[in-house]
Amino acid sequence: MSLLAVRDLAIAAGRHLLVEDIDLDLSEGEVLGLVGESGSGKTITCRALMRLLPEGQLRITRGSVALNGRDLVPLSEAAMRKVRGVEVGMIFQNPNSHLDPVMRIGDQIAESVRYHEGASRADARKRAIDLLRQVGIPDPAGRISAFPHEFSGGMRQRAMIAVALACRPRLLIADEPTTALDVTVQAQVLRLLLDLRDRLGLAIILVTHNLGVVAQTCDSLAVMYAGRVMERGPKRDLLRAPAHPYTEALLKCQPGSAAPAAQLPAIPGQPPLAGVFPEGCRFHPRCPRAAGICRERPALLPAGGKRLAACHFAAPPRAA
Amino acid sequence: MHRYAFVLTRPLQLIPVLFGISILSFFLVKSIPGDPVRLLLGTKSTPEAVARIRAQYGLDESLPVQYLHFLENLTRGEMGHSLLYKMPVLPLIAERVLPTFLLVVGSVLLTLLIAVPLASLAALKRGTAADHAIRGFTTAGLGFPAFWLGIMLIILFSVKLGLFPVAGFGEDALTMLHHMVLPCLTVALALSAIVTRNLRASMIAELASDHATAARAKGLPESWVFRRHVLPNSLIPTINLLAINVGWLIGGSVVVETVFSLPGMGQLLVRAIFTRDYMVVQGVTLVFACATVLLNFVADLLTVAADPRVKL
Ligand SMILES: Nc1ncnc2c1ncn2[C@@H]1O[C@H](COP(=O)(O)OP(=O)(O)OP(=O)(O)O)[C@@H](O)[C@H]1O
Ligand code: SF4
Ligand SMILES: [Mg+2]
């Protein structure tokens, strides 16, 4: 049984569906890369997994999010609070704004331990020191009483990882955890995440714009476009022989596909605006292979090996 | 440099400020029209008597010399004599410090006591009837002058309901407190209107902030997020707002002391102005100016304590 199984998830703002037909699978210790152009719905999908969509603006209209076999979508707020932080941790793109500027780092780590586990002040403090050590902060006992502004950007991101892991969740959702950091620090933070995966058996959903990051860190990959999953499966398969024209376009536009730091490239045309997606295959206005049938919506279907693709012309299993 | 190092350096920086205050209060009083000696002796006084009194109070010297005398006396705690009360100014003011001090401190505490719950309620229940009612209260509070509110409160609570005294100050702690309720409430109602408004706005911004989202992602309940993250962050601009209003607070205390016949420095100042009691006007002005400086210093201390990012 997989750790996380998302099926048919849809998120709407009012009457507009922003994200639809989201299917994702993740097992223990797996790193899933979630890529796609800006506005394709990566962040709101992550928030929806935590049931943390902005109230009154966005809501889940359909689908299920099964964590260890239990669907989170129908859970009450109180039950959901026992999932957030405890079973699923989340880190964000900007550690500057996502840490409380007037609370000590140690307290920000310790407070969820105190709330969820009823730990004593001393025990929570010990845990905070231990976590800071695990994420590679030097002199953790001295640093727990520091405030966020006293940390460098990279240390802040490490601290945020420590906050997210305070109650030992099995799954970490990382929404562009390195975008705000400079390149050398990016690599360190990614190495830290992989290290934590190895040591703790942590499963990670890694949202990124950077295919180089995907190549280096992920086990599997899901490519989103205009609020839908276009293709997903083992990273190797997708990067070597993409089945979906959109994945192919992403890879092809890379300046020398070996370049590790390459950003998502420009594909001719503009991505559609959320809520006014084209009929049928949402990629068809920009797709080089588009044909008449593409005015009908393609389903996400097996396309060779363990991979799934939503394209009428997804490459059929080759040699295998 | 240590964040609290300004506690040591600030007094040095304040020396020129205090000089400025002394010069201003000295010359302001000198520029008031009317002759205090004639006022003291009456219109039928002989020129000799007038000259004698002038010499006695040093009023026959040139202004710079008078100012130097004034400074020299200040260093000895001498602020001259009141012409009206026929006693030294310093003990006269000292007698009046307590009611004014209680009024200012009590008003600020009462303001927070009113504004924090109201702003929290309005921010958490945004757009509901409670929010609209609180907005109505703040609009009303901003619209009415402080003394008018005071008179209304006297009529309601003292004259009609007989709950609080109409005027004056008590003898012991308990009766003093009893006498302070309405004056403090008068100032606090006016001040809490503006504080509630600002606090509500910053709470709403903090509720939608990234760090509040991050706190929710830790599985903390909304009440915890509010208490531990939203409230401390939104109180920081409130301290600043109160600091800006220190001058208003002292000016307001003058009006309110007059309305409630509170024997404080404000009332003393008003009476001294009407009777051209120069020395008293000068003394109270000095004390008020120093109090303003001191309260701003306290506000800085609170800001530094509340916000670890601030360096002064
Ligand atoms: N609160 C909201 N109300 C209405 N629409 C929203 C809201 N939040 C996001 N959206 C819309 O949902 C779509 C997906 O947004 P999302 O932030 O998930 O994109 P993303 O893939 O994370 O992009 P990026 O790479 O820029 O972070 C966007 O079109 C955005 O405008
Ligand atoms: S379904 Fe058609 S338009 Fe869509 S990706 Fe496949 S070929 Fe292109
Ligand atoms: Mg995003």
Side-chain angles (χ1 to χ4, degrees):
Chain A
M1 186 179 64
S2 59
L3 175 68
L4 180 78
V6 180
R7 292 289 172 268
D8 194 26
L9 186 71
I11 303 163
R15 275 174 293 117
H16 290 298
L17 276 179
L18 298 177
V19 152
E20 252 186 300
D21 302 336
I22 300 293
D23 279 25
L24 298 170
D25 280 288
L26 192 64
S27 41
E28 295 266 337
E30 181 180 342
V31 181
L32 167 69
L34 195 57
V35 300
E37 278 166 296
S38 189
S40 55
K42 305 180 295 292
T43 294
I44 59 173
T45 302
C46 290
R47 298 273 165 117
L49 302 186
M50 285 274 244
R51 298 258 317 269
L52 269 179
L53 294 171
E55 214 174 314
Q57 296 173 41
L58 302 182
R59 68 203 153 82
I60 296 175
T61 52
R62 205 172 49 199
S64 63
V65 176
L67 186 69
N68 286 314
R70 181 173 65 149
D71 188 5
L72 302 182
V73 174
L75 287 191
S76 68
E77 244 322 280
M80 223 22 241
R81 279 204 295 273
K82 297 203 179 83
V83 173
R84 293 183 199 126
V86 181
E87 293 183 56
V88 189
M90 190 161 191
I91 61 173
F92 304 85
Q93 176 173 344
N94 188 349
N96 303 345
S97 63
H98 284 89
L99 288 169
D100 186 336
V102 307
M103 189 187 263
R104 294 175 195 281
I105 297 280
D107 293 336
Q108 301 198 42
I109 300 172
E111 68 173 343
S112 48
V113 183
R114 283 175 58 77
Y115 174 71
H116 288 297
E117 299 176 17
S120 71
R121 205 172 281 276
D123 287 349
R125 187 188 133 91
K126 263 190 224 131
R127 174 89 62 91
I129 294 173
D130 186 47
L131 280 157
L132 282 182
R133 181 178 301 118
Q134 282 192 40
V135 298
I137 304 262
D139 180 25
R143 290 310 202 129
I144 53 164
S145 48
F147 288 98
H149 73 275
E150 295 167 325
F151 275 18
S152 68
M155 278 165 74
R156 261 174 245 159
Q157 191 56 283
R158 285 170 191 269
M160 193 152 75
I161 294 170
V163 170
L165 297 182
C167 293
R168 307 189 171 116
R170 307 303 302 153
L171 169 63
L172 180 70
I173 300 175
D175 189 355
E176 303 198 40
T178 60
T179 312
L181 306 174
D182 60 49
V183 183
T184 47
V185 183
Q186 277 185 18
Q188 289 168 10
V189 169
L190 288 173
R191 218 172 300 132
L192 170 65
L193 288 177
L194 288 183
D195 178 45
L196 290 168
R197 188 267 308 262
D198 294 340
R199 273 193 288 140
L200 310 173
L202 199 63
I204 301 174
I205 296 180
L206 182 68
V207 175
T208 177
H209 273 175
N210 191 322
L211 283 179
V213 167
V214 170
Q216 282 170 0
T217 52
C218 298
D219 303 310
S220 53
L221 182 61
V223 179
M224 287 186 71
Y225 180 78
R228 293 194 73 193
V229 175
M230 295 284 119
E231 181 172 10
R232 69 187 180 94
K235 169 194 73 180
R236 270 167 196 287
D237 299 358
L238 262 73
L239 293 187
R240 268 199 205 139
H244 196 285
Y246 179 63
T247 317
E248 203 178 320
L250 284 184
L251 290 170
K252 216 182 265 168
C253 295
Q254 279 210 96
S257 33
Q263 297 290 315
L264 279 192
I267 296 168
Q270 288 291 314
L273 290 174
V276 286
F277 298 123
E279 287 290 309
C281 175
R282 289 178 179 172
F283 189 51
H284 84 250
R286 298 167 79 188
C287 180
R289 273 202 249 162
I293 191 176
C294 300
R295 307 224 161 241
E296 280 166 37
R297 166 182 293 203
L300 189 65
L301 294 171
K306 286 181 182 166
R307 128 181 66 191
L308 299 159
C311 170
H312 295 297
F313 301 104
R318 279 169 216 180
Chain B
M1 207 165 72
H2 196 272
R3 292 180 59 236
Y4 286 96
F6 77 99
V7 174
L8 297 175
T9 56
R10 180 66 61 85
L12 294 177
Q13 294 165 9
L14 284 183
I15 290 173
V17 176
L18 292 176
F19 260 110
I21 289 172
S22 71
I23 293 174
L24 269 181
S25 59
F26 177 78
F27 283 100
L28 264 181
V29 168
K30 287 296 165 196
S31 62
I32 295 174
D35 185 345
V37 179
R38 294 223 172 265
L39 201 71
L40 179 74
L41 298 177
T43 39
K44 286 178 199 139
S45 52
T46 62
E48 294 78 44
V50 169
R52 195 158 23 80
I53 296 290
R54 277 184 175 281
Q56 186 187 331
Y57 286 101
L59 294 175
D60 53 350
E61 313 245 28
S62 73
L63 278 182
V65 173
Q66 282 189 43
Y67 172 69
L68 286 179
H69 277 307
F70 165 72
L71 268 192
E72 188 199 333
N73 288 337
L74 265 188
T75 57
R76 283 184 281 115
E78 275 281 343
M79 290 181 170
H81 267 65
S82 159
L83 299 177
L84 182 70
Y85 295 89
K86 309 260 186 298
M87 66 181 285
V89 170
L90 195 62
L92 186 65
I93 291 177
E95 270 174 19
R96 311 271 181 143
V97 167
L98 187 62
T100 306
F101 176 79
L102 287 180
L103 180 60
V104 170
V105 173
S107 305
V108 171
L109 290 181
L110 206 55
T111 297
L112 291 176
L113 225 57
I114 295 170
V116 172
L118 284 188
S120 306
L121 187 65
L124 287 170
K125 308 266 175 207
R126 185 142 70 116
T128 64
D131 186 18
H132 292 310
I134 291 165
R135 179 183 301 274
F137 161 77
T138 60
T139 309
L142 288 174
F144 298 126
F147 65 87
W148 183 88
L149 255 167
I151 293 168
M152 290 302 123
L153 287 174
I154 297 178
I155 293 175
L156 180 64
F157 288 106
S158 306
V159 180
K160 289 250 196 281
L161 300 175
L163 288 178
F164 295 103
V166 176
F169 197 50
E171 298 297 316
D172 54 289
L174 210 65
T175 51
M176 276 184 199
L177 226 57
H178 198 203
H179 277 88
M180 291 310 297
V181 172
L182 286 186
C184 287
L185 199 59
T186 304
V187 179
L189 281 179
L191 192 56
S192 62
I194 172 169
V195 172
T196 303
R197 238 176 217 212
N198 279 268
L199 197 53
R200 174 187 177 274
S202 47
M203 280 172 171
I204 285 170
E206 289 294 334
L207 277 168
S209 71
D210 285 346
H211 68 81
T213 305
R216 290 180 195 110
K218 294 191 231 176
L220 301 173
E222 199 57 32
S223 59
W224 183 303
V225 175
F226 188 81
R227 228 170 346 103
R228 301 291 178 92
H229 297 283
V230 171
L231 191 59
N233 276 285
S234 45
L235 278 176
I236 293 169
T238 301
I239 298 172
N240 195 25
L241 181 69
L242 286 175
I244 291 169
N245 278 293
V246 160
W248 178 91
L249 206 57
I250 288 179
S253 77
V254 174
V255 177
V256 168
E257 280 176 18
T258 308
V259 170
F260 286 95
S261 308
L262 259 185
M265 289 187 289
Q267 195 198 41
L268 183 65
L269 178 68
V270 170
R271 198 167 292 165
I273 289 172
F274 281 129
T275 54
R276 299 211 176 86
D277 199 349
Y278 278 10
M279 294 300 160
V280 174
V281 175
Q282 201 168 52
V284 176
T285 310
L286 260 174
V287 172
F288 274 165
C290 292
T292 307
V293 170
L294 192 74
L295 286 174
N296 273 303
F297 179 67
V298 171
D300 282 349
L301 265 179
L302 288 175
T303 307
V304 170
D307 188 345
R309 291 162 298 182
V310 171
K311 274 207 179 88
L312 289 176

